[in-house]
Amino acid sequence: TDGPLPLPRMLTGASFTPDGRWLLVRSYTELFFLPVDEDGVPGAPVSPPVDLTPLQERQGEAVETFPDGWVYFTSEAEMAGARPQLTRARCEYPENGTDGAP
């Protein structure tokens, strides 16, 4: 793209699934699913991004995936001395890497 991305679209974190088939990449407001080929190279996102705004994070920063299907999201603290937010959500990955939003 030309020029800087709007702040909500800036990428803030990423995590490979434990089986290595997907790379989850997050911005402040969205989660993208990228299929990973047999050489470990991520492709283009496969479905519309997942809207993360319902999490009501102040500043979403990281994403981590686990073998049991849980995905964890972390956010910065709202103010100095406050605790950061940790959110856990179930995740369904797009079928065959081509269709369906998680």
Side-chain angles (χ1 to χ4, degrees), residues 21-84:
R21 293 183 54 222
W22 294 96
L23 175 63
L24 279 62
V25 178
R26 74 159 299 164
S27 70
Y28 291 121
T29 59
E30 296 173 312
L31 179 67
F32 301 87
F33 288 78
L34 288 71
V36 178
D37 70 18
E38 57 277 347
D39 294 324
V41 178
V46 292
S47 65
V50 175
D51 179 10
L52 297 180
T53 57
L55 299 180
Q56 298 181 341
E57 297 173 304
R58 166 125 169 88
Q59 185 175 327
E61 293 293 337
V63 60
E64 182 60 61
T65 64
F66 289 83
D68 60 2
W70 287 105
V71 177
Y72 289 82
F73 301 93
T74 60
S75 175
E76 294 284 331
E78 290 196 26
M79 56 189 351
R83 300 179 94 187

